[in-house]
Amino acid sequence: MRLPPHPAFDLLRFAEGQPGPARRWLIRLLLAAQRPGEAWGVLRAALAGKRVRARDRAAILWGARHALAVPPLPTGAPETVPGLCVATPAAIRGGAAASASLVVLTAPGHRLHPGAATAIAEAFAADSGLAALYGDALVLGPGGRPLLPVLRPAFDPDYLLSADYIGPVVAVRRPVLDRLGLDPSLPGTEAADLLLRLAGENADAVRHLPRPLSTWAPFAAAPSEDWARARRNLAERHLAGAGHVDGTGVLSLRRAIPAPPLATIIIPTRDRVELLRACIASIRAHTEWPSLDIIVCDNDSRHPRTLAYLKHLRDEGVRVLPSPGPFNFAAMNNRAAAEARGGLLVFVNNDVVAFQADWLRRMAEEALRPDVGAVGAKLLDERERIQHGGIVLGTGGLVTHAHRHFPGAAPGYLASLQATHRVSAVTAACLAVEAQKFRAVGGFDEAAFAVDFNDVDLCLRLEAAGYRTLMVPGAVLYHHEAASRRWTPEARVRHEDEVARLRARWGARLENDPWYHPAFDPRAGTYVRLRDWAGAGLR
């Protein structure tokens, strides 16, 4: 079912265009015929009762899709809570909520669930530091039938500026509303503006309550024609002249870089010259950046063709740093970072291929902001599917790449494959960070995470130092993941050791990713299916 053609609904289009059952089974049969070994692996896992493994292998073979069960619509009428008023911005400016201590902003097409007002009042009563709160929603189709769940992450100003993932239903304390007011020049986006100004004073004052609080009926009511203009004005106001805004429903905030620093691209490698050659050739051909140098960190390459190519690179002025001994990805990157002259470090795997000239500029626009640490790109696999859309903690047994195996052109859940947004971590296969920030936290932990999870650990240490990690979907590259990696019994033992170290260091943080809704099933691929709503306590 297609939603009405209004840009306010663009972030709800994540499930549009998915094949129906008949077409889906036809695609599955064709792919199974083309890849019989993979198809047999799915069947073998299913027959053995290994449901999670079967689902994982099915996603690899057939790709991922949203299969999100919608919770039943609560019955009854919204209750009345003393001191709580639900009103539109226009009604509030007219004095409709003058006597209320809690005000819930709303808009046409939105309605509180039964029990929502009580849940909101209880949340404010339990936390005196809470100034504003938002929850989740159910999208209704024609006839009021539940259509889609809108499950929001924690408060993220970058995401909110790019896509209004929070919407107009926001609860706020009356003194805060009186002090900050609602801007009448931003029709339809007053709630987003209020939250952004409030968070600018105290980011912890805005919270997300992970449960459905309202319904959203896009077929019954759409925001005014001024909505898109107001969204753009809000984004431009926050850029304050230091950049420009692209897009309509989902916006891209392009930040100016008055003095682009030297960017040092660091590429660890060992033989596999065909990968390294393609990587470097693509970077040279498709990188729009005024000042760039490349460091290749070589771990005991021995093949004559590789050695000849490394000599060729040296002759061209590329620095090739020897890094002998057992393979230690983190140590290789650290060594190159210590030798880097650039103010911006860009870590790139040798199996990554650039094809869009603005990939580095888009990452640098975010990485050079004072409060941003690591920045990641959207990576596609050889089948044009999502390989990396950020890293989600607590899924797949430990961590998982967001939207993995979804179509490369998919908008992502709530437009998160289109809008720049905060994540817990990004992959070091393509990661940009300012050199001073990287060195301030000690770089990659080469002792604890020689090969795996060094990127997750780095991002979490940057977060602990006060820096946000951002995923920039506008930066797109190919990543032929694990093309240069060979699993051995020793490698598997080392991997398990690093899993244990990650759990020991970040156990509590791994259990709760604020940028991923707890209603999603952690045993499935990200954004694929939900937990049982009643069992998760989210009804």
Side-chain angles (χ1 to χ4, degrees):
M1 180 181 296
R2 299 193 66 83
L3 292 158
H6 192 288
F9 307 140
D10 284 359
L11 82 167
L12 301 179
R13 303 188 193 281
F14 54 87
E16 288 186 351
Q18 293 192 151
R23 184 180 169 208
R24 191 161 62 245
W25 277 107
L26 177 60
I27 292 171
R28 288 178 175 178
L29 289 172
L30 290 173
L31 285 173
Q34 294 171 5
R35 300 170 182 264
E38 293 182 32
W40 173 240
V42 175
L43 180 60
R44 188 168 55 240
L47 292 174
K50 299 177 179 178
R51 297 176 59 187
V52 173
R53 180 177 296 180
R55 284 202 302 258
D56 289 345
R57 292 185 174 179
I60 293 170
L61 174 58
W62 292 311
R65 68 181 185 90
H66 301 289
L68 307 179
V70 183
L73 193 63
T75 57
E79 73 279 24
T80 299
V81 173
L84 184 148
C85 176
V86 181
T88 66
I92 291 168
R93 284 192 291 267
S99 62
S101 59
L102 293 175
V103 179
V104 180
L105 305 178
T106 188
H110 298 263
R111 186 169 181 262
L112 286 189
H113 282 326
T118 299
I120 291 169
E122 290 175 347
F124 279 100
D127 186 352
S128 60
L130 177 60
L133 176 146
Y134 63 94
D136 304 319
L138 296 181
V139 176
L140 304 182
R145 179 176 59 87
L147 182 64
L148 297 169
V150 178
L151 307 174
R152 299 167 169 125
F155 182 72
D156 176 1
D158 290 290
Y159 195 3
L160 184 56
L161 284 169
S162 292
D164 189 359
Y165 75 98
I166 290 177
V169 180
V170 172
V172 61
R173 291 190 190 273
R174 182 75 209 201
V176 173
L177 186 59
D178 289 340
R179 178 169 56 83
L180 295 178
L182 298 175
D183 191 337
S185 71
L186 298 171
T189 193
E190 296 97 337
D193 172 60
L194 177 66
L195 292 180
L196 288 165
R197 287 185 285 131
L198 176 59
E201 299 175 350
N202 178 10
D204 292 333
V206 181
R207 306 279 177 82
H208 169 235
L209 185 62
R211 58 168 287 176
L213 294 180
S214 63
T215 57
W216 183 356
F219 291 90
S224 70
E225 294 299 320
D226 294 330
W227 180 90
R229 177 188 57 80
R231 286 285 303 158
R232 177 177 289 271
N233 289 346
L234 178 62
E236 290 175 344
R237 181 180 299 177
H238 281 262
L239 280 177
H244 67 278
V245 178
D246 294 333
T248 52
V250 180
L251 303 179
S252 176
L253 279 68
R254 302 302 309 274
R255 302 176 188 276
I257 306 177
L262 173 67
T264 296
I265 295 183
I266 296 170
I267 307 173
T269 195
R270 177 197 283 174
D271 285 317
R272 302 302 300 274
V273 66
E274 71 282 359
L275 295 177
L276 181 63
R277 191 191 304 274
C279 175
I280 292 179
S282 72
I283 288 172
R284 286 173 163 172
H286 303 290
T287 304
E288 174 191 285
W289 192 255
S291 184
L292 185 71
D293 75 332
I294 298 174
I295 297 178
V296 174
C297 200
D298 177 49
N299 178 225
D300 288 336
S301 290
R302 291 183 169 85
H303 196 283
R305 289 174 54 232
T306 306
L307 298 178
Y309 181 62
L310 294 177
K311 180 181 182 302
H312 174 71
L313 291 177
R314 288 191 188 95
D315 293 342
E316 292 184 334
V318 173
R319 282 184 288 168
V320 179
L321 298 181
S323 184
F327 180 73
N328 187 316
F329 178 85
M332 294 167 69
N333 277 313
N334 282 343
R335 178 169 186 196
E339 299 283 339
R341 297 187 296 264
L344 181 67
L345 303 178
V346 187
F347 299 97
V348 177
N349 276 17
N350 65 351
D351 51 5
V352 165
V353 175
F355 66 98
Q356 293 183 351
D358 64 348
W359 70 274
L360 179 51
R361 177 169 290 275
R362 284 181 175 268
M363 296 179 74
E365 288 174 12
E366 308 300 337
L368 296 174
R369 296 166 63 187
D371 56 347
V372 173
V375 170
K378 180 166 73 175
L379 303 179
L380 307 180
D381 64 19
E382 67 279 0
R383 293 171 63 183
E384 299 280 346
R385 304 186 307 190
I386 300 296
Q387 188 275 326
H388 171 264
I391 292 177
V392 177
L393 308 183
T395 56
L398 191 63
V399 300
T400 307
H401 287 192
H403 286 103
R404 188 162 188 174
H405 305 309
F406 276 83
Y413 187 76
L414 302 186
S416 57
L417 287 175
Q418 297 175 315
T420 293
H421 63 283
R422 187 169 180 178
V423 292
S424 289
V426 293
T427 178
C430 187
L431 183 155
V433 60
E434 279 196 283
Q436 60 179 349
K437 298 168 186 172
F438 179 79
R439 291 165 183 151
V441 299
F444 293 109
D445 189 337
E446 59 192 68
F449 305 106
V451 179
D452 293 317
F453 311 119
N454 40 65
D455 42 16
V456 175
D457 176 70
L458 173 68
C459 292
L460 294 179
R461 283 187 288 113
L462 284 165
E463 179 185 81
Y467 299 109
R468 291 176 293 126
T469 298
L470 294 183
M471 166 64 194
V472 182
V476 189
L477 304 94
Y478 288 109
H479 180 208
H480 305 299
E481 183 189 26
S484 58
R485 183 168 177 169
R486 297 290 182 266
W487 283 102
T488 65
E490 294 79 9
R492 294 191 183 279
V493 170
R494 187 262 316 142
H495 173 78
E496 292 303 319
D497 287 343
E498 291 178 347
V499 167
R501 293 189 190 105
L502 189 71
R503 290 190 187 281
R505 179 174 295 179
W506 299 107
R509 182 68 175 81
L510 296 177
E511 294 173 3
N512 180 26
D513 192 329
W515 318 114
Y516 188 69
H517 199 286
F520 290 109
D521 187 345
R523 301 167 301 173
T526 56
Y527 302 107
V528 169
R529 57 177 46 85
L530 303 179
R531 302 174 190 256
D532 175 71
W533 283 85
L538 296 166
R539 290 179 63 175

